[in-house]
Amino acid sequence: MVFKNRGVTLAELLIVLIIVGILAALRFSDFGKLAEKNKGMEAEANLYMIYNAQKRYALDNAWVYYNCGPCDNSDMDNLGISLSGDNFNYEISSSIIPITAFTATAARIGASGLCAGQIMTITQDARMSKGCDRW
């Protein structure tokens, strides 16, 4: 039996390209969710760093917690930490009475995206609250 080398027809090529395109679209449809989850993990790690720094700060300062809002790099230097990423704005609020409470908040920066404008918080008893179900 002899086979002729006919090559690939345009129709066959188009069918293969359509199938590859569909598979790629299915694969990359979850990319936004994955990216937002990673950003949420960044904020969670930073809030735990703030939590631990607040505990150390209170030990050194007669059980008074640190306040800042919005917090910048100099505030984090005062706490002895350096936060990673630039996807969130951070704020720390505490009560005036010593040994009571503080709340650290991470607010998602951006006007678009799955969790734009949402917040994540941690309190003095390490309770985490996440404002976006993608985190």
Side-chain angles (χ1 to χ4, degrees), residues 82-94:
S82 176
L83 301 182
S84 63
D86 56 356
N87 296 301
F88 291 85
N89 285 327
Y90 295 91
E91 183 175 319
I92 303 170
S93 59
S94 64

Side-chain angles (χ1 to χ4, degrees), residues 17-36:
L17 288 176
I18 289 170
I19 292 171
V20 169
I22 290 170
L23 292 174
L26 291 174
R27 172 64 183 111
F28 291 113
S29 66
D30 290 339
F31 182 72
K33 295 174 189 174
L34 180 62
E36 198 60 54

Side-chain angles (χ1 to χ4, degrees), residues 33-45:
K33 295 174 189 174
L34 180 62
E36 198 60 54
K37 182 174 178 70
N38 288 339
K39 290 173 185 170
M41 291 171 62
E42 166 198 311
E44 187 173 348

